[in-house]
Amino acid sequence: MLKSIVRISLKLLFRVRVEGQYPQPMPERLIVIANHQSFLDAMLLWAFLPMDAVWVVHTQIWSRWYFRPIVRMARHVVVDTANPMAIKTLVHLIEAGESVAVFPEGRITVTGGLMKMYDGPAFMAAKTGAALLPIAIDGAIHSLLSRMAPPFPRKMFPRIRLTVMPLAYIEMPETGTGKQRRRITSQKMQQVMEDLRFRAHPIKTLHEAFLDAVELHGRGTCILDDVRQDKQTFGHLLKASLALGRLVGRLTSEGEIVGVLMPNSGTTVALLMGMFASRRVPAMLNYSLGVDGVQSACESACIKTVLTARAFVEKARLTEKVNQLQNVRIVYLEDLRPQFSLSDKLWLLFRALPNPRAVMRGFDPKHAAVVLFTSGSEGKPKGVVLSHAAIMANAAQVKSFIAFSRQDRFLNALPMFHAFGLVAGVLIPITTGCNVYLYPSPLHYRMIPEVTYDFDCNILFGTPAFLANYARVAHPYDFARLRFVVAGAERLPNEVRQTWLDKFGVRVLEGYGATECAPIIAANSEISSQAGSVGRLMPGMDYRIEPVPGIDRGGELHVSGPNLMLGYLKHDQPGVLQPPSSIYGSGWYNTGDVVEIDEQGFIYITGRLKRFAKVAGEMVSLEVAEKIAAAASPGHRHAASTKSSAHRGEMIILFTQDPALGRDRLLAAARSLGLPELAVARRVEHLGKIPVLGSGKSDYVQLKEMAERLV
């Protein structure tokens, strides 16, 4: 009777909704686990669980007199999780056929994400062979009973959703000491909880997620800032997006792919949100490419209209490039402003702004959201079509893996035509409610540290090459407020990681991704990190390792998951969507990277298959050749390529910016690292500056052409 009254009260106050199905019949041995968002969580689960479970209550909770009357409402056992005997007590309960409910994190989140996992619940599950029933709690974190600090939004009675997940199991490791086995089972529990948070995330369109953030955080909340010192609130961004979406809707047709040639700015974000709302598909054009590259991108995606800003084109010196584009209509945003008529203004003020959802036509999140183009490092740029569902899935994966909230402030200098810059640097933080400072170029090495310091940014993205240059010129206090730095796009050298740790006391978390995967495939986190690896696979993703002849360890990585692209738009078949597939069938993507994965799931990249040389019949990684060069000359940039050789099959050519680097130093470095002489570049070419792409990666296409021209 009491349980029914509590359940009805919670439904009325918090509009509690339960999704998913409880297993029928229930396993004989069962452990209910859930994420911990507030002091309300235990009561929610007690009221809505179909069985009478025994609740595990920590001694610290029991010691507070005001919790005891609530705890006594349910069957419970008071334990000290630091006491090994407590686990034995719980094991005996489960073996006796009792269902046990526990929060593996032990404490309520104060970050918005998962906290650390205690070893006890995981070891208990593995020891007894009990099934885990994961339940995701969503919404309670916004109640007054959470422990989140301002400016995190909290309400008297927020909506709460409970999502029941399929049963999971943790097997006891067969080898290792007791301590090692407890650590391994705890990591498996961490993965179950990450998967729980990810799968509970609803799939929506990007504009729906944006409107959710507007409603949750309030229209007066500042969300964006850029170099123009143009602070934008959610309300400003919403107003601009609705106006731009209406104007672009007149120029283009629904579902049309429209080129966007814009810098990192608040206007660009508003334009994208407006296009998402009006069901137009923005194609982010890489303005760092030559005319041929941009033209090829337009042709591959059948782009008829390109949106840009006259001020940007003139300041970035792109006038000549834009004028040379053929068979496309160039539309300047400045010219659209006079076209916003009185009737448009009345529509905006009295219909769209009061109820933005009413003017937005709903559509399937699996439809195309954006087209991004590969960097061109392997030939002509390919259009990668990402759906709303893929991007939102990747956002959910990242948020289940790395904790960030309204308390964080992102600095994004990576261009928005780059998948990492657009998704991780803009779309994820905005739909989460995190403040973002947009900077127009990652190449301003002296300005990035100043901006980080001046605007109190605490999360920074960058490629290893960019991070090395920031560290070289920054004052030790410039990055004092950073909580962490995320590196991607290329391998993170140990010297860069150590420099950031020694000079700034900041840990660089290395990640790994591809535009085709929206874009993050794996990442290290504050909780789960391994130096030298690119982290563990994102929740919800699957992988296969394909052996490669001539490579003894690891193999070629193929991945599949909800964040995978819809397909390619290639220059040889303009406008024809080519869905992803590999030797494992449709829905799989061949990364082309050779990797090793250890027992804990950490991924180590050996090299890119297209970046191997066949030297004297042996497969040699060009990344190893670059690693040797970095050890011989750590203060300079190096890039390895190949040239055909009649005697050796292929010859490794090292391009370097160190004018004093020669083969003798490379050989000495190889010996000190214990690497074979075969991996040492046969020839060293000195360049004043190694060519790079807009993403910061070395331009290997241009370097390959230079290598083949050598005599």
Side-chain angles (χ1 to χ4, degrees):
M1 182 68 176
L2 177 61
K3 195 171 184 177
S4 298
I5 293 172
V6 173
R7 184 188 303 124
I8 293 170
S9 300
L10 290 172
K11 281 186 175 181
L12 291 174
L13 294 173
F14 296 97
R15 292 149 292 172
V16 179
R17 187 172 76 252
V18 179
E19 297 180 354
Q21 298 292 327
Y22 289 106
Q24 294 294 336
M26 287 287 183
E28 292 184 6
R29 297 182 176 185
L30 182 69
I31 302 174
V32 179
I33 59 173
N35 57 314
H36 209 354
Q37 292 195 338
S38 72
F39 289 112
L40 194 63
D41 297 345
M43 184 176 290
L44 283 165
L45 294 178
W46 173 75
F48 289 94
L49 277 174
M51 86 289 283
D52 189 16
V54 177
W55 287 87
V56 178
V57 181
H58 196 279
T59 50
Q60 291 181 356
I61 296 295
W62 184 253
S63 65
R64 301 175 185 179
W65 64 268
Y66 45 85
F67 280 127
R68 290 183 185 179
I70 301 174
V71 170
R72 287 193 177 105
M73 293 168 58
R75 297 170 61 210
H76 64 275
V77 56
V78 180
V79 300
D80 180 359
T81 54
N83 186 347
M85 294 303 296
I87 301 301
K88 291 186 178 180
T89 301
L90 296 174
V91 167
H92 291 323
L93 278 173
I94 295 170
E95 289 178 340
E98 295 281 5
S99 296
V100 172
V102 64
F103 295 104
E105 297 167 89
R107 61 172 292 187
I108 297 170
T109 182
V110 294
T111 65
L114 291 174
M115 307 292 279
K116 76 172 184 179
M117 298 292 121
Y118 283 91
D119 294 345
F123 192 78
M124 180 173 66
K127 180 74 174 176
T128 61
L132 295 173
L133 177 60
I135 299 178
I137 301 173
D138 183 42
I141 197 171
H142 297 293
S143 73
L144 300 181
L145 293 174
S146 79
R147 297 187 62 185
M148 296 298 292
F152 194 84
R154 297 169 72 178
K155 301 179 180 180
M156 184 71 76
F157 300 114
R159 290 179 181 272
I160 294 177
R161 186 177 72 253
L162 303 179
T163 307
V164 182
M165 298 295 171
L167 296 174
Y169 295 86
I170 295 178
E171 295 182 0
M172 179 67 75
E174 297 180 358
T175 59
T177 64
K179 183 178 180 180
Q180 291 171 334
R181 286 184 292 168
R182 282 193 296 273
R183 188 188 72 249
I184 292 172
T185 57
S186 181
Q187 289 173 341
K188 290 180 179 178
M189 178 67 83
Q190 177 82 31
Q191 293 174 20
V192 171
M193 295 298 290
E194 289 168 354
D195 193 62
L196 167 70
R197 278 176 54 86
F198 159 66
R199 294 187 185 280
H201 197 278
I203 299 300
K204 302 179 178 181
T205 66
L206 286 161
H207 196 257
E208 285 177 313
F210 169 64
L211 293 181
D212 287 346
V214 173
E215 293 171 2
L216 177 63
H217 299 281
R219 298 191 182 192
T221 300
C222 187
I223 187 67
L224 267 180
D225 203 353
D226 58 28
V227 291
R228 299 176 301 171
Q229 303 295 301
D230 184 18
K231 293 183 183 294
Q232 294 198 33
T233 64
F234 268 119
H236 293 144
L237 191 58
L238 176 63
K239 183 178 180 180
S241 68
L242 291 169
L244 286 168
R246 188 169 176 88
L247 289 170
V248 173
R250 289 183 184 145
L251 300 171
T252 58
S253 58
E254 192 172 291
E256 181 180 341
I257 298 176
V258 182
V260 175
L261 192 73
M262 293 286 288
N264 282 12
S265 70
T267 302
T268 307
V269 177
L271 175 62
L272 294 181
M273 290 300 171
M275 294 177 73
F276 295 149
S278 61
R279 300 182 65 173
R280 272 60 180 176
V281 182
M284 309 304 291
L285 297 176
N286 183 347
Y287 45 80
S288 70
L289 295 177
V291 176
D292 290 343
V294 178
Q295 183 70 49
S296 175
C298 291
E299 292 171 356
S300 298
C302 295
I303 294 172
K304 302 174 184 177
T305 302
V306 173
L307 303 174
T308 187
R310 188 173 284 105
F312 166 63
V313 169
E314 293 173 355
K315 190 169 184 178
R317 300 177 182 176
L318 298 173
T319 304
E320 184 177 351
K321 183 182 295 186
V322 169
N323 291 338
Q324 291 182 40
L325 293 178
Q326 299 178 0
N327 302 319
V328 294
R329 174 180 52 167
I330 307 298
V331 176
Y332 295 99
L333 297 186
E334 293 92 337
D335 298 338
L336 293 181
R337 183 182 292 271
Q339 299 178 26
F340 202 69
S341 64
L342 177 60
S343 62
D344 292 324
K345 294 175 183 177
L346 293 174
W347 169 86
L348 180 64
L349 290 174
F350 296 106
R351 186 181 177 199
L353 280 174
N355 192 0
R357 294 185 189 274
V359 299
M360 183 191 74
R361 288 180 56 196
F363 58 98
D364 191 342
K366 294 181 181 179
H367 288 175
V370 66
V371 178
L372 297 168
F373 294 90
T374 58
S375 60
S377 59
E378 298 172 3
K380 284 185 177 294
K382 291 180 289 188
V384 176
V385 184
L386 298 175
S387 67
H388 292 265
I391 294 173
M392 291 309 300
N394 203 226
Q397 289 168 328
V398 173
K399 286 189 282 188
S400 71
F401 210 77
I402 300 176
F404 48 81
S405 69
R406 176 70 192 136
Q407 299 164 340
D408 292 312
R409 186 178 178 89
F410 285 62
L411 170 59
N412 180 39
L414 296 176
M416 291 170 65
F417 58 69
H418 189 275
F420 198 51
L422 176 64
V423 178
V426 177
L427 297 179
I428 290 179
I430 284 179
T431 54
T432 307
C434 299
N435 198 286
V436 182
Y437 187 95
L438 294 174
Y439 193 80
S441 173
L443 299 174
H444 298 170
Y445 302 136
R446 295 190 180 277
M447 287 303 301
I448 299 297
E450 286 290 338
V451 170
T452 306
Y453 174 75
D454 287 342
F455 293 91
D456 294 326
C457 299
N458 65 350
I459 296 178
L460 174 68
F461 297 124
T463 66
F466 294 155
L467 295 179
N469 282 297
Y470 302 156
R472 178 173 52 84
V473 300
H475 185 279
Y477 201 63
D478 283 339
F479 296 128
R481 295 292 302 276
L482 285 179
R483 192 156 65 83
F484 59 80
V485 177
V486 181
E490 56 186 358
R491 185 182 63 84
L492 177 66
N494 287 329
E495 55 268 23
V496 176
R497 180 188 290 109
Q498 196 61 45
T499 296
W500 274 79
L501 193 59
D502 293 343
K503 188 173 181 179
F504 310 112
V506 175
R507 181 168 55 163
V508 179
L509 301 176
E510 187 172 4
Y512 165 62
T515 305
E516 291 85 349
C517 293
I520 302 170
I521 296 173
N524 287 286
S525 70
E526 295 172 293
I527 295 177
S528 179
S529 179
Q530 188 67 48
S533 80
V534 294
R536 292 190 287 109
L537 207 67
M538 288 287 108
M541 295 194 74
D542 196 6
Y543 75 91
R544 299 286 186 274
I545 301 293
E546 176 68 15
V548 178
I551 298 177
D552 297 330
R553 298 174 59 183
E556 194 172 31
L557 177 66
H558 296 243
V559 294
S560 178
N563 53 318
L564 193 60
M565 64 177 176
L566 291 176
Y568 283 122
L569 295 174
K570 297 183 179 180
H571 193 264
D572 58 348
Q573 290 182 289
V576 178
L577 185 67
Q578 301 179 36
S581 64
S582 78
I583 60 170
Y584 295 104
S586 61
W588 284 86
Y589 167 62
N590 179 1
T591 67
D593 290 316
V594 178
V595 307
E596 291 182 69
I597 301 181
D598 66 16
E599 295 179 354
Q600 301 174 41
F602 286 98
I603 301 173
Y604 298 82
I605 298 179
T606 305
R608 186 157 181 80
L609 195 60
K610 294 185 179 180
R611 298 210 64 238
F612 274 80
K614 195 71 173 287
V615 181
E618 298 289 335
M619 295 288 281
V620 178
S621 171
L622 297 182
E623 302 228 354
V624 173
E626 292 175 351
K627 180 179 179 181
I628 293 170
S633 175
H636 296 82
R637 183 162 189 150
H638 317 276
S641 188
T642 60
K643 173 180 169 59
S644 302
S645 170
H647 302 291
R648 298 169 64 86
E650 286 184 307
M651 176 195 305
I652 299 177
I653 308 294
L654 180 72
F655 294 95
T656 177
Q657 293 180 183
D658 183 356
L661 182 61
R663 243 186 136 248
D664 292 342
R665 283 169 59 187
L666 293 173
L667 289 166
R671 285 192 291 269
S672 67
L673 294 171
L675 295 172
E677 183 178 335
L678 205 63
V680 176
R682 192 71 175 175
R683 183 167 170 176
V684 179
E685 292 293 319
H686 302 97
L687 297 177
K689 185 177 181 181
I690 290 176
V692 296
L693 299 166
S695 62
K697 296 181 182 179
S698 298
D699 188 344
Y700 289 110
V701 170
Q702 187 174 343
L703 290 171
K704 175 66 174 175
E705 294 172 354
M706 293 168 62
E708 290 294 349
R709 289 198 298 266
L710 295 174
V711 294

